[in-house]
Amino acid sequence: MTIADNISGTSKGQSIDQPDSNINIERQMIVILDFGSQYSELIARRIRETEVYSEVISYRTTAEELSNINPRGIILSGGPKSVYAKGAPACDPEIWNLGIPVLGVCYGMQLMVKQLGGKVEQAARGEYGKASLKIDDPIDLLTNVEDGSTMWMSHGDSCVQLPEGFKILAHTDNTRCAAVADHDKKLFGVQFHPEVIHSEYGSALIRNFVYHICVCEPTWTTETFVEESIKEIRARVGDKRVLLALSGGVDSSTLAFLLHEAIGDQLICMFIDQGFMRKGEPERLVEIFDNRFHINVEYIMARDRFLEKVKGVTDPEEKRRIIGHEFIQVFEEESDRLGPFDYLAQGTLYPDVIESADTNVDAKTGERVAVKIKSHHNVGGLPKNLRFKLVEPLRKLFKDEVRKVGRSINLPEEIVSRHPFPGPGLAIRILGEVTARKLNMLRDADFIVRDEIKKRGMYHDFWQVFAVLLPVKSVGVMGDQRTYAFPVVLRLITSEDGMTADWAKPPYDLLEAISTRIVNEVDGVNRVVYDITSKPPGTIEWE
């Protein structure tokens, strides 16, 4: 979490029409042309897992621009449209003449077939979910992909006639052309989604494309990234001072360690204690950064100020807005006191850039192709009159890559493996009005949840674990006395990336221990309930 993590801005983010200007385009890379698929980001992550750099760019990128980028391979993503629908997105047809290997996924395959003279029609029967892949040609793309293995389908159209030079590599019971190829031109297509976890040999297929077809080498490593980043930071910053809003989360902490490695005492970290942190976290943060690793941290106590601002506020979006606005106010006041600074360091990650992009809009119709998931605070929520130049060394990375970088530069494991925590903190885990008493109740309950899970060595079994305090009361009995107190909701979830999530199925004795301790140790709570809602339809946080 950085300064902008506390803002609920809605302005447009940076374009991803072109690759990040900080990227060394001489590095081997695979580009993903985004046609609006919810899985485009996941494709990029799967490629990077092979230690080859990947990047998501607009489908409108021209063949000439791609030639200048000089990727080792191109992947055409899926998308929500039919290739024959009005306004359906299409890539530059000159892409097929670049001599660069191309893999079309779902919509991307259908577009390839259509543009090269084949035929795509609405299928007599759509195919959604798991399907058994029957392999007809086990070479190149399907090497080491097991015949009969499960792949994930999601399509209503099918290829019914292939372009000249193409052959069928695999089929399913419902889809004759489940995988196709023109081996001579190195053009490949799959009707399924190899990037999703449900596709058993999807990773093997991706590795085949990256290593055997595109002939890439594993050059995207943590060590290389750290080395290059330190050089870039030193060259950009010179002898100037850098300010970083530190939260203690994985992103800002990794960034702090990386910047300190690069520029030492030129870095000043500001930690604003707004009163919504978990039990003991502010003190622990200062102990680790300032005392143990001697990274300059300015501790700003602002608890009373923030609590007064949210007094009487019950609407969750209003809470977020107020907290974000006040955070900016405090930050600007304190930066004036501590300054001057030339640079502001931001923990922007690559998903922030992708998810905040507003690039896939048809210029003529105004129709969106890739739906913007969210306008991310780091990318689009900063004040227009920002007085600093930005330094964003992590904007190339996914979350799992940030954790690898953190470990490589000796960030303590308790921070590297820390569960995600929202910028507004406990204020959005207290439904309704936030008060000092409710904050103390929730801090104690939340501590018990994490303490019991850690004692059992189960902390890493979950994506997130936390407690929520509801704005209602229920009747209970404690010591033969009637009670009328608040209920606490337990939220324990599992997830791969936070985009989707499922409620965890922990042992009953763990839930019992947590419930018993909360009711006995947290004054004002007499009931504990368990949230068994997945995402979707719910969200991870309650507000």
Side-chain angles (χ1 to χ4, degrees):
M1 181 183 69
T2 60
I3 175 175
D5 282 308
N6 291 274
I7 310 169
S8 55
T10 56
S11 56
K12 293 180 181 179
Q14 173 177 325
S15 167
I16 56 169
D17 269 351
Q18 296 300 323
D20 190 327
S21 59
N22 293 325
I23 297 297
N24 175 8
I25 62 174
E26 296 302 318
R27 177 187 288 123
Q28 296 179 18
M29 66 185 296
I30 305 290
V31 297
I32 297 101
L33 298 191
D34 181 19
F35 290 91
S37 171
Q38 60 181 316
Y39 298 130
S40 295
E41 180 181 315
L42 189 53
I43 297 173
R45 286 184 55 204
R46 291 290 180 252
I47 294 169
R48 292 195 187 185
E49 287 171 3
T50 71
E51 296 188 338
V52 172
Y53 183 72
S54 61
E55 190 168 321
V56 180
I57 62 178
S58 171
Y59 73 88
R60 291 192 302 268
T61 305
T62 66
E64 181 180 0
E65 289 166 337
L66 282 168
S67 182
N68 291 334
I69 296 169
N70 193 29
R72 287 293 182 94
I74 300 169
I75 294 181
L76 311 183
S77 82
K81 293 272 192 180
S82 165
V83 292
Y84 286 108
K86 182 179 179 180
C91 60
D92 183 346
E94 287 301 313
I95 287 174
W96 316 119
N97 300 320
L98 290 175
I100 299 173
V102 179
L103 171 62
V105 176
C106 199
Y107 179 92
M109 168 182 159
Q110 294 170 4
L111 181 64
M112 176 191 297
V113 168
K114 177 178 178 289
Q115 286 193 338
L116 291 173
K119 186 180 292 186
V120 179
E121 293 180 353
Q122 183 175 355
R125 192 172 156 194
E127 196 171 22
Y128 302 94
K130 296 178 180 179
S132 178
L133 189 70
K134 312 296 175 53
I135 297 177
D136 303 298
D137 185 348
I139 64 172
D140 283 349
L141 191 66
L142 300 182
T143 302
N144 296 323
V145 175
E146 186 173 311
D147 186 33
S149 60
T150 296
M151 293 295 180
W152 188 261
M153 290 284 192
S154 181
H155 66 103
D157 292 347
S158 289
C159 301
V160 296
Q161 181 180 321
L162 294 179
E164 184 178 350
F166 276 76
K167 64 180 294 187
I168 294 174
L169 303 183
H171 67 278
T172 70
D173 289 341
N174 295 321
T175 302
R176 188 172 70 92
C177 301
V180 301
D182 182 331
H183 291 290
D184 292 337
K185 294 182 178 179
K186 294 189 176 181
L187 303 178
F188 300 85
V190 292
Q191 188 59 73
F192 50 87
H193 288 275
E195 69 274 18
V196 303
I197 196 170
H198 309 292
S199 293
E200 288 180 327
Y201 284 81
S203 294
L205 185 151
I206 289 172
R207 290 181 68 86
N208 289 337
F209 181 71
V210 170
Y211 285 124
H212 303 314
I213 295 169
C214 299
V215 198
C216 291
E217 296 177 1
T219 57
W220 178 248
T221 64
T222 301
E223 293 74 19
T224 301
F225 172 82
V226 171
E227 183 179 334
E228 289 182 1
S229 295
I230 289 173
K231 290 179 182 177
E232 289 175 7
I233 292 166
R234 288 173 178 167
R236 177 168 171 75
V237 171
D239 60 355
K240 305 299 184 183
R241 300 176 79 213
V242 178
L243 179 62
L244 166 65
L246 182 67
S247 72
V250 180
D251 303 340
S252 68
S253 298
T254 298
L255 181 54
F257 269 60
L258 184 63
L259 288 166
H260 189 257
E261 182 78 15
I263 59 174
D265 289 341
Q266 292 169 240
L267 170 69
I268 304 296
C269 298
M270 184 193 300
F271 173 66
I272 300 173
D273 186 353
Q274 86 290 52
F276 306 137
M277 297 288 285
R278 291 177 286 204
K279 192 171 185 175
E281 282 193 333
E283 297 80 6
R284 183 63 174 157
L285 181 72
V286 173
E287 191 277 324
I288 290 175
F289 280 84
D290 205 349
N291 300 341
R292 194 197 308 180
F293 290 97
H294 308 295
I295 297 175
N296 294 330
V297 177
E298 289 287 335
Y299 178 86
I300 311 299
M301 171 59 78
R303 296 184 182 183
D304 292 342
R305 177 172 175 172
F306 277 84
L307 192 58
E308 181 62 29
K309 287 292 182 180
V310 297
K311 184 178 181 179
V313 177
T314 59
D315 179 79
E317 287 306 305
E318 184 67 5
K319 274 191 215 174
R320 288 178 178 271
R321 187 196 66 78
I322 290 172
I323 293 169
H325 181 268
E326 194 63 19
F327 192 94
I328 291 294
Q329 290 293 111
V330 175
F331 184 86
E332 290 183 340
E333 291 169 14
E334 296 298 328
S335 63
D336 285 341
R337 179 178 67 83
L338 298 169
F341 296 96
D342 295 274
Y343 291 92
L344 171 67
Q346 280 275 100
T348 307
L349 304 190
Y350 193 48
D352 305 339
V353 178
I354 295 174
E355 293 175 359
S356 295
D358 198 17
T359 59
N360 288 352
V361 179
D362 187 276
K364 294 181 180 179
T365 66
E367 184 179 1
R368 291 195 54 80
V369 176
V371 177
K372 180 161 60 179
I373 300 169
K374 60 182 177 180
S375 181
H376 198 276
H377 314 320
N378 285 0
V379 183
L382 289 171
K384 292 181 179 178
N385 61 343
L386 188 69
R387 303 188 303 273
F388 312 101
K389 300 173 185 176
L390 290 179
V391 178
E392 300 178 301
L394 306 182
R395 66 181 291 117
K396 306 173 185 179
L397 302 184
F398 289 102
K399 191 78 169 188
D400 55 333
E401 294 173 319
V402 174
R403 295 186 194 278
K404 290 178 183 178
V405 169
R407 289 189 175 96
S408 74
I409 55 178
N410 299 316
L411 185 67
E413 186 61 31
E414 67 181 273
I415 298 178
V416 172
S417 59
R418 180 181 187 254
H419 288 175
F421 188 64
L426 299 180
I428 60 167
R429 291 178 179 172
I430 296 174
L431 275 62
E433 183 182 8
V434 178
T435 67
R437 178 171 180 258
K438 288 181 178 180
L439 280 168
N440 289 331
M441 291 165 59
L442 186 56
R443 275 198 195 94
D444 289 341
D446 180 82
F447 174 80
I448 290 169
V449 175
R450 291 180 292 116
D451 185 53
E452 286 297 323
I453 286 170
K454 286 178 179 178
K455 284 196 302 187
R456 286 166 169 76
M458 297 178 65
Y459 185 78
H460 302 298
D461 294 346
F462 307 98
W463 172 265
Q464 261 179 297
V465 296
F466 58 91
V468 176
L469 188 66
L470 298 184
V472 296
K473 290 185 177 182
S474 68
V475 174
V477 178
M478 298 175 71
D480 295 327
Q481 296 292 321
R482 177 187 184 274
T483 62
Y484 191 56
F486 293 99
V488 160
V489 178
L490 302 183
R491 184 73 161 141
L492 281 61
I493 64 163
T494 58
S495 179
E496 184 176 315
D497 50 22
M499 297 174 67
T500 61
D502 195 10
W503 60 280
K505 286 76 175 175
Y508 287 161
D509 66 326
L510 171 61
L511 295 177
E512 182 180 34
I514 292 172
S515 177
T516 300
R517 282 192 60 186
I518 289 177
V519 170
N520 281 286
E521 298 176 28
V522 181
D523 185 38
V525 175
N526 68 352
R527 189 180 299 274
V528 177
V529 299
Y530 189 51
D531 183 350
I532 59 170
T533 312
S534 61
K535 175 190 176 182
T539 55
I540 293 175
E541 298 290 342
W542 273 52
E543 287 193 343

